[in-house]
Amino acid sequence: MRRNRRVKIVATLGPASNNEKTIRALFEAGADVFRINMSHATPDALRHSHALIRKIEAEFSRPIGILIDLQGPKLRIGKFESGAIRLTEGDIVSFVRRESVGGLGRVHLPHPEIFQAVQPGHALLLDDGKLRLRVVEASDVRIDAEVLTSGTLGSRKGISLPDTVIPLEAMTDKDRVDLEDALTVGVDWVALSFVQRAKDIAEARKLIRGRAAVMAKIEKPSALAELAEIIELADGIMVARGDLGVEMPVEKVPGLQKQITRAARNAGKPVVVATQMLESMILSPAPTRAEVSDVATAVFDGADAVMLSAESAVGKYPVDAVATMDRVAIEVERDPLYERIIHAQRIDPEATGADAISAAARTVTETLNLAAIICYTASGATSIRAARERPPQPIIALTPIPATGRKLAIVWGLHCVLTGDPKDLDDMVAKACRIAYQEGFALPGQRVIISAGVPLGTPGATNMLRIAFVGEENPGAQ
């Protein structure tokens, strides 16, 4: 199945969609990668979803990516005797470590790490940012904070500290168990929640040991301070706008989205834009105009993928949501301004052989108006570097490794095909041309460019570029 767009779609599975019929319909409507949110999924649900996705993958003979999203550390206040208390602007509220039921002017906070790190002047955000407080005084056992916005605070509500780097590991005990379950089953991407520092990524990589790609979710202000280092260590980046919009002023999020997207693209790392993209479609069969514009903006920015969360997990219209996102992306990529905007964002190649080959492939393809770029890849690196160039022609990624094809399902512009290693250089060219024709990317007589960035058992195959004519039988090379 060939997509008519280059940006990819990630769809979250949940009660509304976690069945064979709906997953198949979501894939047919345009989903390229399925996300399983471990904040809600059980190990049994994970195995069930994985089995269904792999069954559908075999049915369509097209690699499908699976991304698990680890819950990460959840910071919550304790309980109140009355179930909730009223906070009034100007009041001073005390957060205490001592285990007790909260009451008037007192909130139990069962996280000693916060007391160790918070300082006067730092902000405290409660209940998804609905209530804002500022720390007046802090010690190892008590935090006094002034209420800045009035409201009712209920038991066990979440607390965020945008100004504070909390000495917490990015992965909890639950995350480690979920991760091992997911790696045993066989997932392709692991999204790490609430990343604060580059070392959070390094620690996750030690546990994963190359068994899946690591995606860093950027949703904490502290992560922005180490963005370059996080991007360098991660395999991909997610702009998690939900929590980012809680911890920072919402008016800053659009600019940050562009900055993060550009930084990830510069580094040649896949970037996913997520959260509330078609939020109204949880209950409505049609999106708002603003939501359509939001999706379009991410596509114009050159994001690798756009993601649906509650829309496909618990919404009434999961398939319609994917189909809508598909149509929006196709229309944006047809827009006369799209190629000019993408071209204006093009990045100079780095001084490496892989980048030089990828840049040369894009230049030759544009100059000679070739039908497609075809990349042989084992790890996926060659194809990812080709996608970094954002060429106007389609990119076909050929790999003998199913895990590589599934990982690449999230990368901009890549049409992944699983195929055996070629026997020699002639077989490499013939196989590439045959697949380009069979997959509908090139007609007989058209030319394609073939690149290989890894040894393929043939002398001279490494960092190779070859232009070839496509024929229905025995295509020749020049």
Coordinates of all heavy atoms in Angstrom, one line a residue, residues 445-475:
G445 N 11.1 3.1 -18.7 CA 11.8 4.2 -19.4 C 12.2 5.4 -18.5 O 13.0 6.2 -18.9
Q446 N 11.6 5.5 -17.3 CA 12.0 6.5 -16.3 C 13.3 6.1 -15.6 O 13.6 4.9 -15.6 CB 10.9 6.8 -15.3 CG 9.7 7.5 -15.9 CD 8.6 7.8 -14.8 OE1 8.3 7.0 -14.0 NE2 8.2 9.1 -14.9
R447 N 13.9 7.0 -15.0 CA 15.2 6.8 -14.3 C 15.0 7.0 -12.8 O 14.3 7.8 -12.4 CB 16.3 7.7 -14.9 CG 16.7 7.3 -16.3 CD 17.8 8.3 -16.8 NE 17.3 9.7 -16.8 CZ 18.1 10.7 -17.2 NH1 19.4 10.5 -17.4 NH2 17.6 11.9 -17.2
V448 N 15.8 6.2 -12.1 CA 15.8 6.3 -10.6 C 17.3 6.4 -10.2 O 18.2 6.1 -11.0 CB 15.2 5.1 -9.9 CG1 13.7 5.1 -10.3 CG2 15.9 3.8 -10.3
I449 N 17.5 6.9 -9.0 CA 18.9 6.9 -8.5 C 18.9 6.0 -7.3 O 18.0 5.9 -6.4 CB 19.4 8.3 -8.1 CG1 20.8 8.3 -7.8 CG2 18.6 8.9 -6.9 CD1 21.5 9.7 -7.8
I450 N 20.0 5.1 -7.2 CA 20.1 4.1 -6.2 C 21.3 4.4 -5.3 O 22.4 4.7 -5.9 CB 20.3 2.7 -6.9 CG1 19.1 2.4 -7.8 CG2 20.4 1.6 -5.8 CD1 19.5 1.4 -8.8
S451 N 21.1 4.4 -4.0 CA 22.2 4.7 -3.1 C 22.3 3.5 -2.1 O 21.3 2.9 -1.7 CB 22.0 6.0 -2.4 OG 21.0 5.9 -1.4
A452 N 23.6 3.3 -1.7 CA 23.8 2.3 -0.6 C 24.9 2.9 0.3 O 25.9 3.3 -0.2 CB 24.3 1.0 -1.2
G453 N 24.6 2.9 1.6 CA 25.5 3.4 2.5 C 26.2 2.4 3.4 O 26.9 2.8 4.4
V454 N 26.0 1.1 3.1 CA 26.6 0.1 3.9 C 27.2 -1.0 3.0 O 26.7 -1.1 1.9 CB 25.6 -0.6 4.9 CG1 25.1 0.4 5.9 CG2 24.4 -1.1 4.1
P455 N 28.1 -1.8 3.4 CA 28.6 -2.9 2.6 C 27.5 -3.9 2.3 O 26.8 -4.3 3.2 CB 29.7 -3.5 3.4 CG 30.1 -2.4 4.4 CD 28.9 -1.7 4.7
L456 N 27.4 -4.3 1.0 CA 26.4 -5.2 0.6 C 27.0 -6.5 0.1 O 26.4 -7.2 -0.8 CB 25.5 -4.6 -0.4 CG 24.6 -3.4 0.1 CD1 24.0 -2.7 -1.0 CD2 23.6 -3.9 1.1
G457 N 28.2 -6.8 0.5 CA 28.9 -8.0 0.0 C 29.5 -7.8 -1.4 O 29.9 -8.8 -2.0
T458 N 29.5 -6.6 -1.9 CA 30.0 -6.3 -3.2 C 31.0 -5.2 -3.1 O 30.8 -4.2 -2.6 CB 28.9 -5.8 -4.2 OG1 27.9 -6.8 -4.2 CG2 29.4 -5.6 -5.6
P459 N 32.2 -5.4 -3.7 CA 33.3 -4.4 -3.7 C 32.7 -3.1 -4.3 O 32.1 -3.1 -5.4 CB 34.4 -5.0 -4.5 CG 34.2 -6.5 -4.3 CD 32.7 -6.7 -4.3
G460 N 32.9 -2.0 -3.7 CA 32.5 -0.7 -4.2 C 31.0 -0.4 -3.9 O 30.5 0.7 -4.3
A461 N 30.3 -1.2 -3.1 CA 28.9 -1.0 -2.9 C 28.7 0.1 -1.8 O 27.6 0.7 -1.7 CB 28.2 -2.3 -2.5
T462 N 29.7 0.3 -1.0 CA 29.6 1.2 0.1 C 29.6 2.7 -0.4 O 30.4 3.0 -1.3 CB 30.7 1.1 1.1 OG1 30.7 -0.3 1.6 CG2 30.5 2.0 2.3
N463 N 28.7 3.5 0.1 CA 28.6 4.9 -0.4 C 28.5 5.0 -1.9 O 29.3 5.8 -2.5 CB 29.8 5.7 0.2 CG 29.7 5.9 1.7 OD1 28.6 5.8 2.3 ND2 30.8 6.2 2.3
M464 N 27.6 4.3 -2.4 CA 27.5 4.2 -3.9 C 26.2 4.9 -4.4 O 25.2 5.0 -3.7 CB 27.4 2.7 -4.3 CG 27.2 2.5 -5.8 SD 26.2 1.0 -6.2 CE 24.6 1.6 -5.8
L465 N 26.4 5.6 -5.5 CA 25.2 6.2 -6.2 C 25.2 5.6 -7.6 O 26.2 5.6 -8.3 CB 25.3 7.7 -6.3 CG 24.9 8.5 -5.1 CD1 25.1 10.0 -5.3 CD2 23.5 8.2 -4.7
R466 N 24.0 5.2 -8.1 CA 23.9 4.7 -9.5 C 22.6 5.1 -10.1 O 21.5 5.0 -9.4 CB 24.0 3.2 -9.4 CG 23.8 2.5 -10.8 CD 25.0 2.8 -11.7 NE 26.2 2.2 -11.2 CZ 26.7 1.0 -11.6 NH1 26.0 0.3 -12.4 NH2 27.9 0.6 -11.1
I467 N 22.6 5.7 -11.3 CA 21.4 6.0 -12.0 C 21.0 4.9 -12.9 O 21.9 4.3 -13.5 CB 21.6 7.3 -12.8 CG1 22.0 8.5 -11.9 CG2 20.3 7.6 -13.6 CD1 22.3 9.7 -12.7
A468 N 19.8 4.5 -12.9 CA 19.3 3.3 -13.7 C 18.0 3.6 -14.4 O 17.2 4.4 -13.9 CB 19.2 2.1 -12.8
F469 N 17.8 3.0 -15.5 CA 16.6 3.1 -16.3 C 15.7 1.9 -15.8 O 16.1 0.8 -15.5 CB 16.8 2.9 -17.8 CG 17.3 4.1 -18.5 CD1 18.6 4.2 -18.8 CD2 16.4 5.1 -18.8 CE1 19.1 5.3 -19.5 CE2 16.8 6.2 -19.5 CZ 18.2 6.4 -19.8
V470 N 14.4 2.2 -15.7 CA 13.4 1.3 -15.2 C 12.8 0.6 -16.4 O 12.3 1.3 -17.3 CB 12.3 1.9 -14.3 CG1 11.2 0.9 -14.0 CG2 13.0 2.5 -13.1
G471 N 12.8 -0.7 -16.4 CA 12.1 -1.4 -17.5 C 11.2 -2.5 -16.8 O 11.4 -2.9 -15.7
E472 N 10.3 -3.0 -17.6 CA 9.4 -4.1 -17.0 C 10.2 -5.4 -16.8 O 10.0 -6.2 -15.9 CB 8.2 -4.3 -17.9 CG 7.3 -3.2 -18.0 CD 6.0 -3.5 -18.7 OE1 5.4 -4.6 -18.4 OE2 5.6 -2.7 -19.5
E473 N 11.3 -5.5 -17.6 CA 12.1 -6.7 -17.5 C 13.6 -6.2 -17.7 O 13.8 -5.4 -18.6 CB 11.8 -7.8 -18.5 CG 10.4 -8.4 -18.2 CD 10.1 -9.6 -19.2 OE1 11.0 -9.9 -20.0 OE2 9.1 -10.1 -19.1
N474 N 14.5 -6.8 -17.0 CA 15.9 -6.6 -17.2 C 16.3 -5.1 -17.3 O 16.9 -4.7 -18.4 CB 16.4 -7.3 -18.4 CG 16.2 -8.8 -18.3 OD1 16.4 -9.4 -17.2 ND2 15.7 -9.4 -19.4
P475 N 16.0 -4.3 -16.4 CA 16.3 -2.9 -16.5 C 17.9 -2.7 -16.5 O 18.6 -3.4 -15.8 CB 15.7 -2.2 -15.2 CG 15.6 -3.4 -14.3 CD 15.3 -4.6 -15.1

